[in-house]
Amino acid sequence: INLMPKASWYCKELGIALPQLGKMAARFPHLFCFTEENISSKIRYYEEELGMTRQETTSVIIRNPAILGYSIEENVKKKVRYFKVALGMTVEETRKVMVKYPPVLNLSVQRNIGPKVDFYVRGMNSDIESVKEIIISTPQFLGYSLTKRIIPRTKVLRYLEIVPTIKDHSWVIMNYTEQKYRNFLKERIRQNLRAKGIHDKMTLRIEIENCFQFLSDSKSS
């Protein structure tokens, strides 16, 4: 199969260099399986309906070439509708989310995005507007595991008598590396003990071990 005509089309229409195109094909082997009209119709939707510039469209496709295989009707429009109805996002705000975090298009509304938004509201004592603002500013938060990261870390904050909110603790819960999160917990435990007038190292060590065990149990439950 001669792939050069299709490769030349990508280069001409989207300004993608051949080496970059090769990397995209390695990640998404179906890259050359679509007709030019199929791809063009999807590009038109992103640009005419969502307001992406050609540069933004190209960037989104390079970072997540799998979106070329997604149905506009069954995938993309469903997410646009969800963000509008559930979070009150404008088309412009939805565009920002997709440009910042193209993998959002890989996530299911029913199995992934919806449950996370529900937890951010109910499980983190937050209002819809705060959740919307966080998703627009840092949409990659939608990519973290609800059961293995978000819920366990939220439970541990409650364990330490911290009332978690999306506005105050989103970075701690979602963005901190495991080591940074554990260091945060150690310092919080140390502060709690000092507030109670407890300064001995043995009690501190026991409290830290208990907290880490609670975190481990929360991940496996």
Side-chain angles (χ1 to χ4, degrees):
I1 300 174
N2 185 4
L3 301 179
M4 282 309 298
K6 187 63 65 67
S8 298
W9 185 88
Y10 276 114
C11 294
K12 178 182 177 181
E13 294 298 317
L14 293 172
I16 301 174
L18 280 175
Q20 183 67 60
L21 202 59
K23 294 177 182 178
M24 292 166 60
R27 291 163 51 207
F28 184 61
H30 297 294
L31 185 66
F32 296 106
C33 297
F34 308 107
T35 65
E36 294 173 9
E37 178 53 37
N38 180 283
I39 300 170
S40 294
S41 66
K42 291 172 180 176
I43 290 173
R44 281 196 299 272
Y45 174 80
Y46 289 119
E47 295 180 352
E48 295 176 8
E49 300 297 325
L50 297 184
M52 290 186 191
T53 64
R54 178 52 58 94
Q55 184 178 9
E56 288 173 337
T57 304
T58 299
S59 174
V60 168
I61 292 172
I62 288 174
R63 288 181 288 156
N64 188 20
I67 69 169
L68 293 175
Y70 296 153
S71 164
I72 295 296
E73 292 294 331
E74 296 300 318
N75 185 303
V76 184
K77 286 187 178 181
K78 281 186 177 181
K79 291 181 176 66
V80 173
R81 283 194 295 270
Y82 175 82
F83 286 135
K84 178 181 179 180
V85 174
L87 293 169
M89 281 192 195
T90 63
V91 172
E92 169 64 13
E93 290 168 335
T94 299
R95 180 196 65 80
K96 289 181 180 179
V97 169
M98 292 181 178
V99 170
K100 284 184 179 180
Y101 186 60
V104 73
L105 292 167
N106 303 347
L107 305 177
S108 164
V109 169
Q110 290 77 18
R111 297 188 303 273
N112 200 305
I113 299 174
K116 286 174 184 174
V117 169
D118 288 343
F119 182 79
Y120 293 156
V121 174
R122 296 185 177 90
M124 295 181 68
N125 308 285
S126 304
D127 57 81
I128 284 291
E129 188 62 27
S130 297
V131 173
K132 183 182 86 167
E133 289 175 2
I134 287 293
I135 290 175
I136 292 171
S137 65
T138 320
Q140 58 264 37
F141 284 171
L142 290 173
Y144 292 121
S145 171
L146 187 61
T147 57
K148 297 298 182 182
R149 188 183 190 94
I150 300 170
I151 291 178
R153 289 189 175 191
T154 302
K155 285 182 177 180
V156 172
L157 292 188
R158 294 187 185 280
Y159 174 84
L160 294 178
E161 300 179 348
I162 300 171
V163 179
T165 67
I166 194 77
K167 185 174 292 186
D168 295 330
H169 303 101
S170 58
W171 278 85
V172 172
I173 292 171
M174 267 84 82
N175 211 49
Y176 276 14
T177 63
E178 190 67 19
Q179 186 57 53
K180 189 172 183 179
Y181 182 66
R182 286 174 176 265
N183 290 340
F184 167 82
L185 297 179
K186 288 178 183 178
E187 182 57 31
R188 184 64 187 224
I189 292 168
R190 186 177 289 109
Q191 291 174 3
N192 287 352
L193 291 176
R194 285 174 180 170
K196 297 175 182 178
I198 301 172
H199 301 279
D200 66 281
K201 293 182 179 179
M202 178 62 73
T203 300
L204 175 63
R205 183 174 65 81
I206 292 172
E207 288 296 318
I208 290 174
E209 288 177 355
N210 289 341
C211 182
F212 287 176
Q213 184 60 52
F214 183 82
L215 175 61
S216 178
D217 292 343
S218 296
K219 289 180 179 179
S220 59
S221 61

